[in-house]
Amino acid sequence: MNPILLLTLAVGLVGSNSLVLSPLAGEVAASFAPRTPEEVMIASAIYGGGVAISALVLAPHADRVGLRNALLWGLMVLTGAMGLSALAPTLVTLCLAQAVAGAAAGICLPATYGLAAEIAPKGREAETLGKVIVGWTISMVAGVTLSALLADLASWRVVFAVLAAFGVAAAWLLAKHTDATRPTGASKPPPPWVTLRIPGVASGLVAVAMFMAAFYGVYAYLGTHLTQTLGMSTATVGLVTLSYGAGFGLAAPLDRVVDRLGAARMTPLVLGAVAVEYLLIAAMQSSALGLLITAFSWGIFQHLGLNLLIGRLAAIDPSRRAAIMGLNSSVTYGAMFLGTAGFKPVFLAWGHGGTATLAALCLVAAIVVTLAALRPLQHPAQ
């Protein structure tokens, strides 16, 4: 089986566990009555915190044990945590299970991204990484949609049981169809602040923080804007999400253009395109159809931007790839929290147009940081 497909499925599995609890919160709360959906979402917050801490503390050890081994162990722990989530007798148990799942995902994501960069054919690094991050589309479109359907037909516990079964299959296929990778790091990984001193890492992470905070700040309030401000149905929210996911997934063939033209040239252009997308979203805020159409192109440029930013970080130092990718995951989940919380006052004061405009400013900051940091740091495709 193609190892790139396995890495894509691994990202899809991690992403599904990240996104699935939100649409199931009401049903989970009912089974743990008198708990509320807001209390259930504490488990999701704990999961995100687990990812951020694990990516910072545990992910650097993946360089020492080998990226493939780290991913395999992470998948096995994640599978166990999803199985425990399915069997959780109380909300406290579910929260503990999601904390373990977050710790495992904090290893899986950096190992997956690092392994994709490691096994990519020469000159096709962006194309390979682009295929792997399509796993986020799988989790958003297929994972969330099918999970909601399964919960309606059976129960939320079946959703986590099915995810655990997929986890078993993914771990088995990874063990069978991939070879163990050679450890590249030191016997004891350096602390995070040492990794931050590597030229290009800090600036790359600042760009990632701006990029992801902008995304989560807009995406988090899109559903509320459509349903409460525009009076649209929940199905309309699903269609806009589907449009974004379709654009994100269908952008994968464009990653070859990145390999051909080089990341140094493409990164400012793509980030600029994402900034324009946010301005279009602000302009289209009163039209559900306009937002539906704009979401598709937003997904395309978001895919390219994420690929470029991750690819740049992964190329900096192959011997510390897991440590750098761990910092990337930690910053991403930190930006998820800060973007959602930080954009809330803007949304309440100026609506969706305000959040989209602020997101565009975040992208301008990311472009400035990227241009200032351009130096011998080149994408491996170059």
Side-chain angles (χ1 to χ4, degrees):
M1 189 173 184
N2 189 329
I4 300 301
L5 177 58
L6 289 176
L7 297 181
T8 304
L9 293 176
V11 171
L13 189 67
V14 172
S16 294
N17 189 83
S18 301
L19 300 170
V20 78
L21 200 54
S22 179
L24 304 181
E27 187 174 341
V28 175
S31 68
F32 291 142
R35 299 291 191 177
T36 65
E38 289 77 15
E39 289 177 302
V40 170
M41 289 309 294
I42 292 174
S44 183
I46 289 173
Y47 170 85
V51 176
I53 295 170
S54 174
L56 194 64
V57 176
L58 298 179
H61 291 275
D63 289 319
R64 181 169 56 86
V65 302
L67 294 175
R68 181 261 198 180
N69 290 339
L71 176 57
L72 183 58
W73 297 342
L75 279 175
M76 290 190 291
V77 174
L78 178 61
T79 296
M82 291 188 294
L84 180 58
S85 297
L87 300 173
T90 65
L91 180 57
V92 172
T93 310
L94 179 63
C95 288
L96 290 174
Q98 285 301 299
V100 175
I107 297 172
C108 288
L109 283 177
T112 301
Y113 293 150
L115 197 55
E118 187 171 303
I119 67 178
K122 183 67 175 176
R124 295 173 60 188
E125 291 85 356
E127 180 184 352
T128 301
L129 184 59
K131 291 177 181 177
V132 171
I133 64 175
V134 166
W136 287 106
T137 298
I138 294 174
S139 63
M140 180 178 288
V141 176
V144 175
T145 303
L146 294 178
S147 294
L149 180 61
L150 268 177
D152 283 341
L153 295 176
S155 83
W156 66 269
R157 296 184 185 277
V158 174
V159 172
F160 281 105
V162 169
L163 287 176
F166 274 110
V168 171
W172 179 77
L173 289 170
L174 185 72
K176 183 177 180 181
H177 293 285
T178 60
D179 298 323
T181 53
R182 188 172 55 189
T184 57
S187 58
K188 184 179 180 181
W193 56 85
V194 174
T195 304
L196 279 172
R197 292 176 189 161
I198 300 172
V201 171
S203 61
L205 292 174
V206 170
V208 168
M210 293 294 100
F211 185 82
M212 297 310 299
F215 169 75
Y216 285 113
V218 172
Y219 185 78
Y221 302 104
L222 179 59
T224 303
H225 173 69
L226 286 168
T227 56
Q228 295 186 9
T229 306
L230 299 185
M232 297 291 116
S233 65
T234 304
T236 304
V237 180
L239 284 175
V240 174
T241 302
L242 182 63
S243 176
Y244 171 86
F248 193 97
L250 292 173
L254 297 177
D255 293 318
R256 296 173 186 172
V257 179
V258 175
D259 283 323
R260 216 165 37 238
L261 299 180
R265 183 184 305 171
M266 290 292 293
T267 302
L269 295 176
V270 170
L271 295 183
V274 177
V276 171
E277 287 295 323
Y278 286 127
L279 293 177
L280 285 174
I281 289 172
M284 296 288 182
Q285 64 175 314
S286 299
S287 169
L289 179 60
L291 290 173
L292 177 69
I293 296 170
T294 306
F296 181 79
S297 54
W298 179 27
I300 291 174
F301 289 113
Q302 190 77 11
H303 171 109
L304 293 173
L306 185 63
N307 187 338
L308 284 161
L309 292 175
I310 294 176
R312 176 190 168 191
L313 285 168
I316 290 174
D317 186 347
S319 69
R320 299 187 190 177
R321 191 166 271 151
I324 295 171
M325 288 294 94
L327 287 171
N328 170 73
S329 292
S330 186
V331 166
T332 295
Y333 276 82
M336 176 182 179
F337 172 77
L338 293 175
T340 303
F343 277 58
K344 183 178 180 180
V346 177
F347 178 73
L348 293 176
W350 292 288
H352 199 59
T355 59
T357 302
L358 178 57
L361 293 175
C362 288
L363 265 294
V364 171
I367 293 169
V368 171
V369 170
T370 300
L371 289 174
L374 285 179
R375 52 183 84 188
L377 255 186
Q378 300 289 327
H379 192 283
Q382 295 178 309

